Amino acid sequence: MLVLTRSREEGIVIGDAIEVKVLDIRGDRVRLGVIAPDDVTIHRKEVYLAIQEENREAARDSGQDLDRALESLRDSGIRKVDPPAPVDPPASGRNGDSS
Amino acid sequence: MSHTAEKTTTKTIIRVKTRRHGELEVPEDKILEFPAGLLGFRDATRFAIMEDDRGLPFKWLQCLDAGDLAFLVAEPAAFFTNYELEIPDEVLESLEIQGEDEVLVLLILTYRQDRKVITANLQGPLVLNSRNQKGRQLVLQVASYSTRYPVVWLDRDPDSPASEERGEAPCSS
């Protein structure tokens, strides 16, 4: 891993099109700004990993147990509910966290 | 797992041996393409949707690149009364989606045997363009959308107090 030390307002560039800038440092929290082309996706790592992990889990076909479970649903059916209200995370957005 | 692509005069057919659906022959116009794969399955780019024959609103997203790989999926309307999803422009463009009627959203489901519950991944929904069969898994930054949101309880009365789980307790990791 390449390790660089940067101060507030300093940044790094990756290739020609991607820039990562340190906007603010407070205690153990660092605010980063990222400038990248639209087709480059940027995600918080923990969210990305959670989805990756869940995909792996979903791919683990529980075979007959799942079949039995689905059979049992035939009679009981599925009750519809409201989905959770979308709530933005405390700080979010491609163009920088709102403070 | 094995698959061969066969070019005939007009169209490609993929033949693949699958664990869940036996040997399949999928014509080109039924092949769904996920150019970036799914998260954690980068090489799984071609899929076909198989109906589940139990009369339930579930389908199987069967991978054509790896016959052992299949996901239980469902449209949000199977569980939710008014699910809404905001799809970023960049995603609409990459999938060449021109109108809302072309959009198909699928949620990947996981059966959690220990809790006798089926959870849906609300944070990483699949978005498909039903016109050109291209799809992509989104990564949503919505705090209340869990990757393990319980949608179906298998051995409980849905009216029992267990339904309070929906509100606050996505299955913990």
Side-chain angles (χ1 to χ4, degrees):
Chain A
M1 186 192 286
L2 171 67
V3 180
L4 300 165
T5 303
R6 305 277 61 199
S7 305
R8 199 180 312 241
E9 293 299 315
E10 291 181 338
I12 61 169
V13 290
I14 302 170
D16 286 335
I18 300 174
E19 182 182 345
V20 182
K21 196 170 172 184
V22 179
L23 299 177
D24 198 8
I25 307 164
R26 279 181 212 161
D28 58 359
R29 293 173 74 83
V30 179
R31 288 182 79 208
L32 300 174
V34 182
I35 300 168
D38 282 348
D39 59 347
V40 174
T41 56
I42 302 159
H43 305 295
R44 286 179 174 75
K45 187 175 174 184
E46 64 274 19
V47 174
Y48 190 87
L49 291 180
I51 293 174
Q52 211 172 53
E53 164 65 21
E54 192 53 30
N55 280 351
R56 292 211 181 93
E57 200 132 329
R60 213 172 291 144
D61 188 336
S62 14
Q64 290 188 338
D65 289 315
L66 174 58
D67 283 318
R68 270 197 292 273
L70 294 181
E71 288 294 337
S72 74
L73 274 180
R74 253 187 178 160
D75 305 324
S76 55
I78 297 169
R79 200 177 66 136
K80 292 193 192 185
V81 294
D82 290 335
V87 176
D88 284 337
S92 138
R94 187 189 178 88
N95 300 318
D97 292 351
S98 50
S99 42
Chain B
M1 169 209 91
S2 70
H3 62 85
T4 48
E6 191 176 272
K7 210 62 176 178
T8 64
T9 44
T10 51
K11 59 182 182 182
T12 307
I13 292 178
I14 292 185
R15 293 205 174 89
V16 55
K17 219 176 256 175
T18 70
R19 187 169 62 189
R20 192 161 264 279
H21 302 100
E23 200 153 345
L24 295 181
E25 288 193 6
V26 184
E28 194 168 25
D29 60 338
K30 296 280 180 210
I31 299 171
L32 307 177
E33 233 190 295
F34 282 71
L38 301 189
L39 271 64
F41 296 92
R42 192 186 283 249
D43 296 330
T45 59
R46 296 178 303 173
F47 292 86
I49 290 184
M50 311 294 297
E51 300 294 329
D52 191 83
D53 50 15
R54 278 169 276 241
L56 293 164
F58 301 128
K59 300 179 203 304
W60 288 94
L61 189 66
Q62 170 65 54
C63 181
L64 303 178
D65 298 301
D68 282 353
L69 186 60
F71 296 93
L72 186 67
V73 296
E75 293 183 41
F79 316 112
F80 300 127
T81 44
N82 57 351
Y83 176 90
E84 277 181 25
L85 174 61
E86 203 174 303
I87 304 173
D89 288 346
E90 173 256 324
V91 174
L92 294 175
E93 277 164 34
S94 75
L95 297 178
E96 296 159 36
I97 289 171
Q98 289 159 3
E100 211 171 292
D101 54 329
E102 292 178 347
V103 178
L104 173 66
V105 177
L106 293 172
L107 302 174
I108 297 184
L109 308 177
T110 305
Y111 173 47
R112 303 192 179 276
Q113 208 171 338
D114 50 338
R115 301 181 52 197
K116 298 274 181 256
V117 70
I118 293 175
T119 59
N121 186 344
L122 298 189
Q123 201 161 26
L126 307 178
V127 174
L128 286 133
N129 178 341
S130 57
R131 181 177 45 85
N132 66 10
Q133 314 264 69
K134 271 196 199 175
R136 189 164 141 180
Q137 184 164 32
L138 301 194
V139 176
L140 297 184
Q141 306 282 0
V142 180
S144 54
Y145 280 12
S146 147
T147 56
R148 302 171 170 196
Y149 192 77
V151 286
V152 179
W153 284 263
L154 289 147
D155 62 349
R156 291 185 210 155
D157 176 357
D159 293 315
S160 75
S163 8
E164 80 202 19
E165 273 184 272
R166 278 184 202 275
E168 55 207 305
C171 301
S172 57
S173 336

